[in-house]
Every structure is written in C-alpha cells, then in structure tokens.
Amino acid sequence: KECRQHFKDSIIERTVTSKQKLDDKVTGLRNDVRDSITEVKDTAKSTVKQTILYMNERLKDFTNAIDQKLNEHEPVQLDRKQNKAMTAQMNER
C-alpha cells in the first residue's frame, strides 16, 4: 500500500510540475507575442511618420518650384496669404 501511495504522489507531483512548466512557457510565449506586436506597432508608427515628413518636404519642393516658375512668368505674384484671402472672398460670393 505504501508503494502505491508513493507512486500516486509521484504522479501528482510530476503532473503539477509539468503543468507549471507549461504555464510558464505559455506566459513566455504571450509576452513574446505582446512584445512583437508592440515592436511592429512602433515600427509602423515611425515609418508612417517618416513617410509623412518625406512627402511634406517633397510637397514643399514642388510648391517652391511652381512658385518659382510663376514668378518667372508673372513677376508681380500675390503672396500665399493674399491668395487665400482672395479665394475665400470668391467662395463667399
């Protein structure tokens, strides 16, 4: 009988230990997934930000090039504020 109890206790102990090891592995995997998701989100944010900044610079270059061409053909060009004010007045009508 004592041998049976020892065997039973041994099985219970191994089962509990195995369950704890599995729980630890699951927790580790969850943490890895969470960290990976955070890393991907941060990388995506950074990429989007850099892309917007890059496109903004290209847009400024493009706008400056257009302004320069307009100045060549029409030296008395209105500045942007006057342009916006005139556009707003025309839209009100």
Side-chain angles (χ1 to χ4, degrees), residues 29-40:
L29 286 172
R30 278 190 188 136
N31 291 342
D32 290 349
V33 168
R34 185 197 60 229
D35 293 347
S36 294
I37 288 171
T38 301
E39 186 180 330
V40 168

Side-chain angles (χ1 to χ4, degrees), residues 57 59-69 80:
E57 284 301 312
L59 189 58
K60 283 181 191 173
D61 294 344
F62 183 67
T63 304
N64 290 338
I66 289 173
D67 287 347
Q68 190 176 354
K69 288 291 178 189
R80 289 193 190 288

Side-chain angles (χ1 to χ4, degrees), residues 1 10-12 26 29-30 34 39 51 54 56 64 71 77-78 82 84-86 89-90:
K1 260 191 170 180
S10 174
I11 289 176
I12 290 171
V26 167
L29 286 172
R30 278 190 188 136
R34 185 197 60 229
E39 186 180 330
T51 302
Y54 174 81
N56 197 30
N64 290 338
N71 272 334
Q77 183 193 1
L78 301 172
Q82 288 173 317
K84 284 182 181 177
M86 285 180 65
Q89 284 176 349
M90 290 175 69

Side-chain angles (χ1 to χ4, degrees), residues 4-52:
R4 271 185 165 172
Q5 189 59 42
H6 176 72
F7 183 70
K8 192 175 174 184
D9 290 346
S10 174
I11 289 176
I12 290 171
E13 183 183 327
R14 279 188 271 159
T15 303
V16 169
T17 303
S18 294
K19 184 183 181 313
Q20 186 58 53
K21 283 181 183 177
L22 278 175
D23 288 348
D24 291 347
K25 282 183 182 179
V26 167
T27 300
L29 286 172
R30 278 190 188 136
N31 291 342
D32 290 349
V33 168
R34 185 197 60 229
D35 293 347
S36 294
I37 288 171
T38 301
E39 186 180 330
V40 168
K41 281 167 65 177
D42 291 347
T43 302
K45 267 188 208 173
S46 175
T47 301
V48 167
K49 190 175 185 180
Q50 290 301 318
T51 302
I52 289 170

